[in-house]
Amino acid sequence: MKSTIKKCLFPAAGYGTRFLPATKSMPKEMMPIVNKPLIEYGVDEAIAAGIEGMCIVTGRGKHSLMDHFDMNYELEHQIKGTSKENMLVDIRNIIDTAKFTFIRQSEMKGLGHAILTGKELVGDEPFAVVLADDLCINEEQGVLAQMVALYKQFRCSIVAVEEVPADEIHKYGVIAGEMIKDDLYRVDDMVEKPEPGTAPSNLAIIGRYILTPDIFDILENQEPGKGGEIQITDALLKQAQSGCVLAYKFKGRRFDCGSVPGFIEATNYCYDKFYKG
Ligand code: UTP
Protein backbone atom coordinates (compact mmCIF):
# COMPACT_ATOMS: atom_id res chain seq x y z
CA MET A 1 0.00 0.00 0.00
CA LYS A 2 1.34 3.47 -0.91
CA SER A 3 2.69 5.43 2.03
CA THR A 4 1.72 8.91 0.91
CA ILE A 5 -1.70 10.50 0.73
CA LYS A 6 -2.02 12.68 -2.36
CA LYS A 7 -5.75 13.26 -2.57
CA CYS A 8 -8.46 14.47 -0.27
CA LEU A 9 -12.15 13.84 -0.91
CA PHE A 10 -14.71 16.39 0.25
CA PRO A 11 -18.24 14.98 0.27
CA ALA A 12 -20.27 18.15 -0.07
CA ALA A 13 -23.50 17.08 -1.70
CA GLY A 14 -25.71 16.96 1.42
CA TYR A 15 -28.77 19.16 1.84
CA GLY A 16 -27.65 20.82 5.09
CA THR A 17 -31.20 20.72 6.44
CA ARG A 18 -30.14 21.75 9.94
CA PHE A 19 -29.25 25.14 8.51
CA LEU A 20 -32.37 25.89 6.50
CA PRO A 21 -33.35 28.35 5.15
CA ALA A 22 -29.69 29.51 4.73
CA THR A 23 -28.86 26.31 2.83
CA LYS A 24 -31.90 26.37 0.54
CA SER A 25 -29.87 27.67 -2.39
CA MET A 26 -26.39 27.98 -0.86
CA PRO A 27 -24.12 25.03 -0.07
CA LYS A 28 -23.53 24.53 3.64
CA GLU A 29 -19.81 24.25 2.86
CA MET A 30 -19.79 27.84 1.55
CA MET A 31 -21.06 29.29 4.82
CA PRO A 32 -18.31 31.54 6.17
CA ILE A 33 -16.68 31.27 9.57
CA VAL A 34 -15.82 34.97 9.89
CA ASN A 35 -14.73 35.72 6.29
CA LYS A 36 -13.69 32.33 4.96
CA PRO A 37 -15.99 29.54 3.75
CA LEU A 38 -15.95 26.26 5.67
CA ILE A 39 -14.62 24.33 2.67
CA GLU A 40 -11.58 26.62 2.47
CA TYR A 41 -10.63 25.76 6.05
CA GLY A 42 -10.80 22.08 5.03
CA VAL A 43 -8.65 22.67 1.95
CA ASP A 44 -6.09 24.58 4.07
CA GLU A 45 -5.95 21.63 6.45
CA ALA A 46 -5.39 19.20 3.56
CA ILE A 47 -2.62 21.36 2.06
CA ALA A 48 -0.96 21.54 5.49
CA ALA A 49 -1.00 17.72 5.48
CA GLY A 50 0.96 17.71 2.20
CA ILE A 51 -2.05 16.94 -0.01
CA GLU A 52 -2.55 18.73 -3.33
CA GLY A 53 -5.39 16.85 -5.04
CA MET A 54 -8.77 18.14 -3.86
CA CYS A 55 -11.67 15.96 -5.05
CA ILE A 56 -15.03 17.52 -4.35
CA VAL A 57 -18.33 15.63 -4.49
CA THR A 58 -21.03 18.18 -5.24
CA GLY A 59 -24.74 18.12 -5.94
CA ARG A 60 -27.45 20.30 -7.43
CA GLY A 61 -27.12 24.02 -6.68
CA LYS A 62 -23.48 23.80 -5.61
CA HIS A 63 -21.84 25.80 -8.40
CA SER A 64 -20.42 28.33 -5.97
CA LEU A 65 -18.08 25.62 -4.65
CA MET A 66 -16.48 25.36 -8.08
CA ASP A 67 -16.39 29.11 -8.59
CA HIS A 68 -14.70 29.68 -5.24
CA PHE A 69 -11.68 27.64 -6.31
CA ASP A 70 -11.35 29.33 -9.69
CA MET A 71 -10.04 32.73 -10.77
CA ASN A 72 -12.46 35.65 -10.87
CA TYR A 73 -10.74 37.86 -13.44
CA GLU A 74 -13.24 40.72 -13.26
CA LEU A 75 -12.97 41.01 -9.50
CA GLU A 76 -9.18 40.65 -9.53
CA HIS A 77 -8.89 43.33 -12.19
CA GLN A 78 -11.22 45.61 -10.23
CA ILE A 79 -9.24 45.47 -6.96
CA LYS A 80 -5.75 45.27 -8.46
CA GLY A 81 -3.46 47.83 -6.86
CA THR A 82 -5.93 48.64 -4.03
CA SER A 83 -5.64 47.79 -0.34
CA LYS A 84 -8.19 45.02 -0.86
CA GLU A 85 -5.95 43.03 -3.19
CA ASN A 86 -4.26 41.18 -0.33
CA MET A 87 -7.63 39.79 0.81
CA LEU A 88 -7.43 37.39 -2.11
CA VAL A 89 -3.82 36.31 -1.55
CA ASP A 90 -4.68 33.15 0.42
CA ILE A 91 -7.28 31.84 -2.00
CA ARG A 92 -5.00 32.62 -4.94
CA ASN A 93 -2.21 30.61 -3.30
CA ILE A 94 -4.62 27.71 -2.86
CA ILE A 95 -5.61 27.88 -6.53
CA ASP A 96 -1.91 27.92 -7.51
CA THR A 97 -0.99 25.03 -5.17
CA ALA A 98 -3.86 22.60 -5.32
CA LYS A 99 -5.59 20.79 -8.16
CA PHE A 100 -9.38 20.63 -7.94
CA THR A 101 -11.61 18.03 -9.51
CA PHE A 102 -15.37 17.76 -9.12
CA ILE A 103 -18.00 15.09 -9.52
CA ARG A 104 -21.73 15.21 -8.90
CA GLN A 105 -23.64 12.88 -6.67
CA SER A 106 -26.99 12.80 -8.41
CA GLU A 107 -28.94 11.08 -5.62
CA MET A 108 -28.29 11.74 -1.93
CA LYS A 109 -27.92 8.16 -0.76
CA GLY A 110 -25.68 8.88 2.20
CA LEU A 111 -22.06 9.58 3.10
CA GLY A 112 -20.90 6.10 2.04
CA HIS A 113 -22.50 6.63 -1.36
CA ALA A 114 -20.93 10.10 -1.66
CA ILE A 115 -17.49 8.58 -0.97
CA LEU A 116 -18.13 5.85 -3.54
CA THR A 117 -19.10 8.57 -6.06
CA GLY A 118 -15.62 10.05 -5.52
CA LYS A 119 -13.94 6.82 -6.68
CA GLU A 120 -13.60 8.18 -10.22
CA LEU A 121 -11.57 11.12 -8.89
CA VAL A 122 -9.51 9.25 -6.31
CA GLY A 123 -8.55 6.09 -8.21
CA ASP A 124 -6.76 3.14 -6.65
CA GLU A 125 -4.82 4.85 -3.88
CA PRO A 126 -5.25 5.69 -0.19
CA PHE A 127 -6.98 9.02 0.35
CA ALA A 128 -8.17 11.43 3.01
CA VAL A 129 -11.78 12.47 3.59
CA VAL A 130 -12.79 15.82 5.07
CA LEU A 131 -16.36 16.70 6.03
CA ALA A 132 -15.98 20.45 5.85
CA ASP A 133 -18.82 21.15 8.27
CA ASP A 134 -16.63 19.66 11.01
CA LEU A 135 -14.13 22.47 11.48
CA CYS A 136 -10.97 21.15 13.16
CA ILE A 137 -8.38 23.50 14.58
CA ASN A 138 -5.01 22.69 16.04
CA GLU A 139 -2.42 25.36 15.54
CA GLU A 140 0.64 23.16 16.08
CA GLN A 141 -0.28 20.43 13.59
CA GLY A 142 -3.58 20.09 11.73
CA VAL A 143 -5.74 17.03 12.39
CA LEU A 144 -5.28 15.66 8.87
CA ALA A 145 -1.49 16.06 9.15
CA GLN A 146 -1.59 14.08 12.41
CA MET A 147 -3.54 11.34 10.65
CA VAL A 148 -1.29 11.25 7.56
CA ALA A 149 1.70 10.77 9.88
CA LEU A 150 -0.10 7.82 11.50
CA TYR A 151 -1.03 6.38 8.11
CA LYS A 152 2.65 6.35 7.10
CA GLN A 153 3.32 4.19 10.14
CA PHE A 154 0.31 1.81 10.05
CA ARG A 155 -0.88 1.80 6.38
CA CYS A 156 -4.54 1.17 7.12
CA SER A 157 -7.78 3.13 7.32
CA ILE A 158 -7.96 5.58 10.21
CA VAL A 159 -10.98 7.44 11.60
CA ALA A 160 -10.72 10.49 13.85
CA VAL A 161 -12.68 10.16 17.08
CA GLU A 162 -13.62 12.44 19.93
CA GLU A 163 -15.07 11.78 23.38
CA VAL A 164 -18.69 12.88 23.37
CA PRO A 165 -21.12 13.18 26.33
CA ALA A 166 -23.64 10.33 26.76
CA ASP A 167 -26.64 12.49 25.78
CA GLU A 168 -24.99 13.41 22.45
CA ILE A 169 -23.49 10.09 21.37
CA HIS A 170 -26.63 8.86 19.52
CA LYS A 171 -25.94 11.49 16.80
CA TYR A 172 -22.66 9.90 15.73
CA GLY A 173 -20.99 6.77 14.44
CA VAL A 174 -19.41 5.21 17.53
CA ILE A 175 -16.42 2.88 17.77
CA ALA A 176 -15.26 0.28 20.26
CA GLY A 177 -11.77 -1.13 20.32
CA GLU A 178 -8.59 -1.94 22.12
CA MET A 179 -6.19 0.88 22.91
CA ILE A 180 -2.88 0.05 21.22
CA LYS A 181 -1.07 3.17 22.29
CA ASP A 182 -1.88 6.63 23.57
CA ASP A 183 -4.96 7.96 21.77
CA LEU A 184 -4.94 5.11 19.22
CA TYR A 185 -7.42 2.20 19.12
CA ARG A 186 -7.75 -0.86 16.93
CA VAL A 187 -11.43 -0.86 16.02
CA ASP A 188 -13.43 -4.05 16.66
CA ASP A 189 -16.93 -2.61 16.59
CA MET A 190 -18.70 0.37 15.04
CA VAL A 191 -22.31 1.44 15.25
CA GLU A 192 -23.96 4.27 13.32
CA LYS A 193 -26.18 6.48 15.51
CA PRO A 194 -26.76 3.95 18.33
CA GLU A 195 -30.08 3.88 20.16
CA PRO A 196 -29.87 5.75 23.49
CA GLY A 197 -28.06 3.68 26.10
CA THR A 198 -26.57 1.20 23.61
CA ALA A 199 -23.42 3.01 22.43
CA PRO A 200 -20.35 0.74 22.67
CA SER A 201 -18.21 3.63 23.98
CA ASN A 202 -18.12 7.42 24.21
CA LEU A 203 -15.79 7.69 21.18
CA ALA A 204 -17.62 9.34 18.28
CA ILE A 205 -16.35 9.42 14.70
CA ILE A 206 -15.93 12.96 13.41
CA GLY A 207 -15.41 14.22 9.87
CA ARG A 208 -11.82 13.20 9.19
CA TYR A 209 -10.81 9.86 7.67
CA ILE A 210 -7.91 8.22 5.90
CA LEU A 211 -9.24 5.37 3.77
CA THR A 212 -7.49 2.62 1.87
CA PRO A 213 -8.94 2.09 -1.63
CA ASP A 214 -10.37 -1.37 -0.89
CA ILE A 215 -13.17 0.58 0.84
CA PHE A 216 -14.63 1.22 -2.64
CA ASP A 217 -15.24 -2.51 -3.28
CA ILE A 218 -16.90 -2.81 0.12
CA LEU A 219 -19.07 0.26 -0.54
CA GLU A 220 -20.11 -1.09 -3.94
CA ASN A 221 -21.69 -4.07 -2.18
CA GLN A 222 -22.90 -2.21 0.91
CA GLU A 223 -26.63 -2.48 1.66
CA PRO A 224 -28.38 0.67 2.93
CA GLY A 225 -28.17 0.93 6.71
CA LYS A 226 -29.45 3.45 9.27
CA GLY A 227 -31.91 5.91 7.73
CA GLY A 228 -31.90 3.92 4.47
CA GLU A 229 -28.51 5.46 3.58
CA ILE A 230 -25.27 3.78 2.47
CA GLN A 231 -23.24 4.27 5.64
CA ILE A 232 -19.45 4.59 5.64
CA THR A 233 -19.56 3.27 9.22
CA ASP A 234 -20.99 -0.08 8.03
CA ALA A 235 -18.31 -0.37 5.32
CA LEU A 236 -15.55 0.48 7.81
CA LEU A 237 -16.80 -2.19 10.21
CA LYS A 238 -16.42 -4.76 7.40
CA GLN A 239 -12.90 -3.44 6.73
CA ALA A 240 -12.09 -3.67 10.44
CA GLN A 241 -13.35 -7.27 10.59
CA SER A 242 -11.33 -8.43 7.61
CA GLY A 243 -8.21 -6.30 8.18
CA CYS A 244 -7.47 -3.32 10.33
CA VAL A 245 -9.09 0.05 11.02
CA LEU A 246 -7.65 2.43 13.58
CA ALA A 247 -9.43 5.15 15.55
CA TYR A 248 -7.38 8.17 16.54
CA LYS A 249 -8.29 10.57 19.32
CA PHE A 250 -6.91 13.67 17.63
CA LYS A 251 -5.24 16.67 19.19
CA GLY A 252 -7.18 19.87 18.70
CA ARG A 253 -10.68 21.28 18.77
CA ARG A 254 -13.61 20.35 16.60
CA PHE A 255 -16.67 22.48 15.95
CA ASP A 256 -19.82 20.94 14.49
CA CYS A 257 -20.56 23.76 12.06
CA GLY A 258 -23.46 21.81 10.55
CA SER A 259 -25.40 22.80 13.69
CA VAL A 260 -26.26 26.37 14.65
CA PRO A 261 -24.64 26.27 18.15
CA GLY A 262 -21.41 24.74 16.77
CA PHE A 263 -21.30 27.28 13.96
CA ILE A 264 -21.67 30.22 16.38
CA GLU A 265 -19.04 28.75 18.71
CA ALA A 266 -16.59 28.34 15.82
CA THR A 267 -17.28 31.87 14.61
CA ASN A 268 -16.55 33.38 18.03
CA TYR A 269 -13.44 31.21 18.46
CA CYS A 270 -11.99 32.08 15.03
CA TYR A 271 -12.85 35.75 15.37
CA ASP A 272 -10.97 35.96 18.69
CA LYS A 273 -8.08 33.80 17.59
CA PHE A 274 -7.39 34.71 13.97
CA TYR A 275 -9.23 37.88 13.07
CA LYS A 276 -9.39 40.34 15.93
CA GLY A 277 -5.61 40.52 15.93
P1 UTP B 1 -24.60 15.34 7.16
O1 UTP B 1 -25.76 14.49 7.42
O2 UTP B 1 -23.89 15.96 8.30
O3 UTP B 1 -24.93 16.54 6.20
O4 UTP B 1 -23.59 14.55 6.23
P2 UTP B 1 -26.23 17.03 5.57
O5 UTP B 1 -27.13 15.92 5.19
O6 UTP B 1 -25.80 17.96 4.49
O7 UTP B 1 -26.79 17.95 6.77
P3 UTP B 1 -28.15 17.90 7.62
O8 UTP B 1 -27.96 16.76 8.59
O9 UTP B 1 -29.26 17.70 6.64
O10 UTP B 1 -28.17 19.23 8.27
C1 UTP B 1 -22.21 14.51 6.45
C2 UTP B 1 -21.44 14.95 5.22
O11 UTP B 1 -21.70 14.09 4.14
C3 UTP B 1 -22.10 14.80 2.98
C4 UTP B 1 -22.64 16.13 3.50
O12 UTP B 1 -22.48 17.14 2.51
C5 UTP B 1 -21.78 16.37 4.74
O13 UTP B 1 -20.54 16.97 4.39
N1 UTP B 1 -23.12 13.99 2.28
C6 UTP B 1 -24.10 13.37 2.98
C7 UTP B 1 -23.04 13.86 0.91
O14 UTP B 1 -22.14 14.42 0.25
N2 UTP B 1 -23.97 13.09 0.27
C8 UTP B 1 -24.98 12.46 0.95
O15 UTP B 1 -25.79 11.76 0.28
C9 UTP B 1 -25.03 12.61 2.33
Side-chain angles (χ1 to χ4, degrees):
M1 196 75 74
K2 286 181 187 158
S3 70
T4 51
I5 305 289
K6 290 192 261 160
K7 292 182 183 165
C8 183
L9 190 66
F10 295 80
Y15 291 123
T17 54
R18 283 170 295 164
F19 246 104
L20 284 169
T23 46
K24 185 164 172 265
S25 64
M26 179 179 80
K28 166 168 76 173
E29 297 75 14
M30 283 304 291
M31 299 214 321
I33 297 296
V34 190
N35 60 346
K36 186 157 98 174
L38 276 167
I39 187 112
E40 195 179 321
Y41 286 90
V43 168
D44 283 342
E45 191 184 323
I47 290 175
I51 298 170
E52 292 186 356
M54 309 298 162
C55 311
I56 304 189
V57 180
T58 69
R60 270 179 296 280
K62 302 249 183 183
H63 289 285
S64 55
L65 280 169
M66 275 184 246
D67 291 342
H68 187 69
F69 295 109
D70 198 357
M71 302 292 274
N72 180 339
Y73 291 105
E74 255 175 57
L75 172 68
E76 304 226 354
H77 177 73
Q78 188 76 27
I79 64 173
K80 201 172 168 53
T82 74
S83 58
K84 291 183 185 141
E85 197 176 9
N86 65 4
M87 293 172 92
L88 288 181
V89 166
D90 289 350
I91 183 70
R92 202 177 296 150
N93 284 342
I94 288 178
I95 293 168
D96 288 345
T97 309
K99 183 165 181 242
F100 288 86
T101 52
F102 298 86
I103 195 163
R104 266 170 85 134
Q105 185 190 15
S106 44
E107 281 180 282
M108 303 315 136
K109 293 189 192 164
L111 177 57
H113 182 259
I115 291 174
L116 181 58
T117 304
K119 180 182 176 184
E120 298 300 318
L121 305 180
V122 168
D124 187 24
E125 54 184 278
F127 60 104
V129 176
V130 166
L131 306 186
D133 53 345
D134 265 344
L135 176 62
C136 291
I137 295 181
N138 189 54
E139 284 181 71
E140 211 173 287
Q141 186 184 34
V143 174
L144 220 47
Q146 296 169 38
M147 294 173 76
V148 167
L150 276 175
Y151 176 77
K152 285 180 182 163
Q153 209 182 332
F154 292 95
R155 311 274 180 101
C156 63
S157 289
I158 306 170
V159 298
V161 293
E162 176 178 78
E163 286 181 10
V164 160
D167 60 342
E168 294 269 307
I169 197 84
H170 64 280
K171 299 178 185 165
Y172 293 87
V174 184
I175 69 113
E178 180 199 348
M179 191 193 255
I180 54 173
K181 66 175 200 163
D182 273 358
D183 298 331
L184 197 64
Y185 303 80
R186 178 187 279 268
V187 173
D188 52 38
D189 196 12
M190 266 188 182
V191 189
E192 181 60 28
K193 299 191 176 67
E195 297 302 321
T198 66
S201 78
N202 65 345
L203 293 172
I205 304 171
I206 63 111
R208 299 290 180 278
Y209 306 75
I210 302 276
L211 300 175
T212 53
D214 51 314
I215 199 74
F216 291 131
D217 290 337
I218 303 175
L219 281 168
E220 250 150 30
N221 299 302
Q222 187 63 54
E223 295 295 325
K226 201 105 196 180
E229 297 190 335
I230 310 279
Q231 298 288 355
I232 187 66
T233 316
D234 296 339
L236 278 164
L237 178 58
K238 286 200 188 123
Q239 213 182 28
Q241 285 165 342
S242 62
C244 177
V245 173
L246 298 176
Y248 170 56
K249 212 161 77 176
F250 62 95
K251 293 181 180 56
R253 281 197 68 168
R254 181 206 52 124
F255 298 92
D256 173 13
C257 296
S259 77
V260 174
F263 184 86
I264 300 298
E265 217 185 317
T267 302
N268 290 331
Y269 181 88
C270 291
Y271 177 70
D272 286 342
K273 199 130 193 125
F274 307 122
Y275 196 81
K276 215 160 63 176

